Amino acid sequence: MSSSVLARDPAGTAEREAFRRDVLAGLSRKRRAIPAKYLYDAQGSALFDAICELPEYYLTRTETEILKRHAADIASRAGPGCALIEFGSGSSVKSRLLLDALEDLALYSPIDISRQHLDETADRLRRDYPSLKVEPVCADYMAPAGLPEVGKGLRRLGFFPGSTIGNLTPPEATVFLRQARRLLGDDGALVLGADLKKDPQRLHAAYNDSAGITAAFTLNLLRRINRELRGTLDLDGFEHEAFYDPVEGRIEIYFRSLREQSAIVAGRTFSFAKGERVHTEYSYKYDLADIAAMARSGGFAVADTWTDPERLFAVSYLVAAP
Ligand code: AVI
């Protein structure tokens, strides 16, 4: 879906239609799957914020600590007067660490598909940083059509935190990085947060928390389908499933049918066998060689990487490769 469609469609009709199309297509496939982006309605976004606070979910805390410790290193690599372009406008805490550290920042431009999220972020930042030029861009930074031109004439520093890159398959990550490389330009750089491979039990716990918030996040997708697509999915008839696949180096997340059942979605009937599952997310984990290879595939080279003492998470400074 293009950003221009979204901009002309404040009521979200096009978004609703894309959701209907993707859910029906995803449930009609042999290996059922629904794109992860649909997990983030208002309730899903609130649940994800709660996930970030969980004791088992070390990612957010750890990346924030790394950024706190190395914001000055990032700023000295970036130099004065650059434009900061954030892919997504979620985590203002992390962006602020860079906003505070970067010298004579010329522009801050968050790119996000959610107009509401963008406007809220921009309003807050304009209030807290009155002299900062804030230019939000409403666009899908994963759309194959490419990214709109932002920060023209300025040296551009991209920021893609949170290991959101891990929710992309390797080919999708390459597409994203190539698009970012084109937008950031030959003298551009990208600060990339990526979750590291580690003890599978630690990974398992991060996606199967004892409070059940991650399960609620996954199952909220069923609630959204019922609400927006006149669905009759039984919320008690499915469970969250998440496990680490060490061969693929990724967490896989599904909702799984607890019994044989059928449900109506947007006027169509779907049957589920007992144990049948619907894929909702991948969350790839990396070692430093994986990050270097991924960067190369997107036209970048790793100039620096900072990690925490336990080597749970990595923040890399990627420069555009010639
Ligand atoms: C947004 N993303 C980086 C999260 C992750 O860890 O892959 C999404 C998530 N899904 C369940 N827990 C967290």
Side-chain angles (χ1 to χ4, degrees):
M1 189 192 325
S2 78
S3 54
S4 56
V5 170
L6 283 175
R8 277 187 270 112
D9 183 33
T13 319
E15 202 174 353
R16 180 73 57 94
E17 177 47 29
F19 182 46
R20 194 185 76 89
R21 192 190 56 226
D22 289 347
V23 169
L24 291 180
L27 292 179
S28 305
R29 285 168 41 181
K30 192 154 180 293
R31 293 170 59 128
R32 289 177 161 168
I34 296 174
K37 63 181 175 183
Y38 294 120
L39 291 162
Y40 297 89
D41 63 351
Q43 183 64 15
S45 300
L47 285 164
F48 180 64
D49 288 347
I51 286 174
C52 293
E53 303 286 324
L54 290 168
E56 295 98 330
Y57 196 75
Y58 57 84
L59 287 80
T60 314
R61 270 196 306 284
T62 310
E63 184 182 42
T64 304
E65 281 310 310
I66 297 171
L67 286 169
K68 271 188 194 155
R69 205 165 314 127
H70 295 286
D73 298 323
I74 293 171
S76 80
R77 276 211 168 264
C82 67
L84 180 66
I85 297 167
E86 179 162 2
F87 299 102
S89 63
S91 160
S92 61
V93 177
K94 295 177 205 166
S95 330
R96 280 164 195 250
L97 291 170
L98 294 190
L99 294 177
D100 291 340
L102 289 164
E103 198 186 330
D104 295 329
L105 187 63
L107 172 73
Y108 171 64
S109 191
I111 304 179
D112 199 287
I113 194 150
S114 159
R115 164 67 63 194
Q116 192 193 336
H117 231 101
L118 269 177
D119 290 344
E120 285 167 9
T121 303
D123 287 349
R124 269 198 311 271
L125 286 175
R126 287 192 185 109
R127 197 183 54 226
D128 295 348
Y129 296 81
S131 58
L132 177 66
K133 190 171 168 205
V134 181
E135 215 173 83
V137 175
C138 189
D140 179 357
Y141 55 76
M142 271 306 294
L147 288 164
E149 179 100 55
V150 214
K152 207 170 176 184
L154 296 166
R155 230 163 7 81
R156 288 170 273 205
L157 177 67
F159 185 38
F160 196 35
S163 204
T164 304
I165 195 139
N167 297 129
L168 307 179
T169 62
E172 288 169 345
T174 298
V175 170
F176 165 75
L177 288 170
R178 287 194 183 149
Q179 299 205 140
R181 165 74 178 77
R182 213 169 302 131
L183 169 68
L184 299 171
D186 290 343
D187 58 355
L190 177 66
V191 176
L192 178 73
D195 195 19
L196 294 175
K197 285 177 176 158
K198 58 184 62 66
D199 173 12
Q201 275 178 14
R202 183 101 193 232
L203 287 168
H204 184 87
Y207 293 87
N208 292 280
D209 60 283
S210 54
I213 308 290
T214 311
F217 175 68
T218 302
L219 296 176
N220 178 59
L221 185 54
L222 278 67
R223 225 180 269 278
R224 180 176 184 184
I225 292 171
N226 285 351
R227 191 179 58 245
E228 296 188 18
L229 303 178
R230 292 171 288 111
T232 63
L233 291 158
D234 175 10
L235 290 163
D236 295 326
F238 293 88
E239 68 179 359
H240 158 87
E241 182 188 21
F243 58 87
Y244 182 62
D245 178 338
V247 176
E248 297 290 344
R250 67 189 182 200
I251 290 280
E252 298 191 5
I253 307 183
Y254 301 85
F255 59 82
R256 183 171 54 192
S257 180
L258 290 167
R259 51 183 164 75
E260 193 178 320
Q261 57 184 315
S262 61
I264 299 172
V265 175
R268 283 179 46 190
T269 303
F270 294 94
S271 302
F272 298 88
K274 183 176 179 191
E276 185 174 351
R277 51 198 199 178
V278 179
H279 177 256
T280 57
E281 279 181 287
Y282 288 130
S283 191
Y284 279 83
K285 309 301 167 190
Y286 308 92
D287 57 30
L288 298 188
D290 297 330
I291 295 172
M294 177 166 71
R296 258 195 316 277
S297 77
F300 288 97
V302 178
D304 224 332
T305 294
W306 301 281
T307 65
D308 53 291
E310 284 185 274
R311 289 176 85 81
L312 298 175
F313 199 94
V315 174
S316 298
Y317 193 96
L318 311 185
V319 291

